[in-house]
Amino acid sequence: MSRFLTVGAAQLGPIERRHSRREVVERLRALLEQGRRAGCELVVFPELALTTFFPRWWMEDQAEIDFFFEREMPSADTAPLFEDARRAGIGFCLGYAELTREDGRTRRFNTAILVERDGRIVSRYRKIHLPGHAGHEPARAFQHLEKRYFEPGNLGFPVVRAFGGLIGMCICNDRRWPETYRVMGLQGVEMVLLGYNTPLHNPPAPDHDEHSWFHNALSLQAGAYQNGTWVVGVAKGGIEEGVPSLADSMIVAPSGKIVARAPSVGDELIAHRCDLDAGRSYKTTTFNFALHRQPEQYRLIVDRKGAIEPP
Ligand code: ING
């Protein structure tokens, strides 16, 4: 008896700096309603889905920076989304900038939460791979200051039992690193949920720009196939505060096949009825980790941070 989970990828178009949390939450509620009508049990929103992608700007005033962070979740502004979801019996994944107090100090993370159909937050993930730079680089057309505004995540890559399966999360740049999927694969993950804000121009490597769509799909499809898991990638796309950003949200099967893909660059829901057992034939044969992997030969992956070439 297969376990099916109908999941929706709720792609967002641009969020401008002037858009209030309340205005954005109304867009999220509209996408959730589209998900309800499509029969979704789980709706996935993008990375930093409550605000514009503020790491594109150099800011020095901490109060100005902290404007973009949430101190509580749900908050007064996001409570209506939680209420709609609970009332509809739909779960969701939401990316946002998290400001919290831990170990006696203020911490700031690029965070995603997983909310079950009864409204409970059942998992939290904090982005581990922070791309970009920490210092002001005015020569760039726009900044990418995630290393300045966030700490690297301190929760690992958790996989939880939810929605009748094994669900994991990651965020944006994480999707480009095979370690991300493998750590979750080693926990038996059946569906990886991730949001992204990806500029179509990468100032340090403009020659990569034309490959943006290919690199996105390649990363999601490889992660799915090599770990026998579903991968749901959800964009905040379009031209946001003057920065053209990749859309191309998609749902990828454990075979690596793309089964749903957003044709627009705006607010749009795509959905698919996912068979959570579809990864089994990969996990029990080609990617039977227990049978085939040789971890003692992989030491460098954990012990070494940067590449060291032979003499
Ligand atoms: N954004 C980008 C991403 O990894 C980036 C950073 C852009 C990396 C272009 C490489 C090329 O999709 C975030 N938010 O991680």
Side-chain angles (χ1 to χ4, degrees), residues 47-48 53 110 127 129-132 144 146 171-176 196-202 208-209 212 215-216 246:
E47 169 191 33
L48 296 177
F53 187 76
N110 187 340
K127 188 174 183 177
H129 298 94
L130 297 173
H144 198 113
E146 293 192 64
I171 297 175
C172 202
N173 194 254
D174 289 320
R175 77 191 188 283
R176 300 178 190 274
Y196 57 87
N197 287 245
T198 300
L200 288 171
H201 171 53
N202 188 19
H208 300 181
D209 297 357
S212 296
H215 288 163
N216 182 47
L246 177 71

Side-chain angles (χ1 to χ4, degrees), residues 7 37 41 52 84 98 105 198 223-224 229 256 290:
V7 66
R37 293 186 184 169
E41 300 155 274
T52 194
D84 285 357
E98 176 190 12
R105 59 194 174 89
T198 300
T229 179

Side-chain angles (χ1 to χ4, degrees), residues 26-286:
E26 285 313 299
R27 290 167 58 185
L28 304 183
R29 295 175 76 184
L31 285 162
L32 188 82
E33 172 59 14
Q34 285 185 43
R36 188 188 65 79
R37 293 186 184 169
C40 293
E41 300 155 274
L42 167 61
V43 170
V44 184
F45 294 110
E47 169 191 33
L48 296 177
L50 297 175
T51 65
T52 194
F53 187 76
F54 62 90
R56 67 167 65 90
W57 296 306
W58 170 259
M59 293 177 277
E60 293 180 305
D61 173 27
Q62 194 62 53
E64 181 186 7
I65 296 165
D66 288 352
F67 165 79
F68 295 100
F69 284 76
E70 310 304 319
R71 289 153 181 75
E72 53 182 358
M73 187 55 68
S75 59
D77 286 334
T78 50
L81 175 68
F82 279 72
E83 268 312 296
D84 285 357
R86 193 183 51 72
R87 197 174 302 120
I90 297 176
F92 62 93
C93 175
L94 180 71
Y96 65 95
E98 176 190 12
L99 189 153
T100 184
R101 294 280 299 174
E102 272 180 20
D103 310 327
R105 59 194 174 89
T106 300
R107 318 289 294 273
R108 294 175 181 83
F109 298 103
N110 187 340
T111 294
I113 53 170
L114 182 61
V115 182
E116 249 286 16
R117 291 155 289 189
D118 59 2
R120 281 177 306 116
I121 296 176
V122 294
S123 188
R124 178 184 300 273
Y125 172 72
R126 290 165 172 167
K127 188 174 183 177
I128 286 170
H129 298 94
L130 297 173
H133 50 104
H136 193 197
E137 297 185 13
R140 286 173 177 249
F142 49 87
Q143 307 297 298
H144 198 113
L145 289 159
E146 293 192 64
K147 291 184 191 298
R148 174 182 171 79
Y149 298 134
F150 303 117
E151 286 183 58
N154 61 349
L155 302 175
F157 296 100
V159 172
V160 297
R161 289 191 181 282
F163 301 93
L166 290 163
I167 313 294
M169 294 184 284
C170 67
I171 297 175
C172 202
N173 194 254
D174 289 320
R175 77 191 188 283
R176 300 178 190 274
W177 301 89
E179 295 88 343
T180 298
Y181 302 95
R182 186 46 51 87
V183 170
M184 289 189 270
L186 287 166
Q187 301 173 72
V189 74
E190 295 170 330
M191 183 177 282
V192 175
L193 315 176
L194 65 94
Y196 57 87
N197 287 245
T198 300
L200 288 171
H201 171 53
N202 188 19
D207 54 310
H208 300 181
D209 297 357
E210 65 184 283
H211 306 304
S212 296
W213 292 264
F214 170 60
H215 288 163
N216 182 47
L218 178 67
S219 301
L220 301 182
Q221 290 180 275
Y225 165 61
Q226 292 169 346
N227 296 280
T229 179
W230 290 90
V231 175
V232 181
V234 190
K236 170 139 62 68
I239 302 177
E240 184 176 273
E241 292 289 347
V243 178
S245 304
L246 177 71
D248 207 20
S249 302
M250 61 181 71
I251 300 172
V252 183
S255 62
K257 282 284 184 66
I258 299 168
V259 297
R261 198 164 191 168
S264 83
V265 295
D267 291 16
E268 174 175 18
L269 185 107
I270 57 171
H272 187 78
R273 184 168 177 260
C274 301
D275 175 357
L276 292 179
D277 291 312
R280 182 171 304 287
S281 67
Y282 294 91
K283 291 175 156 67
T284 57
T285 59
T286 308

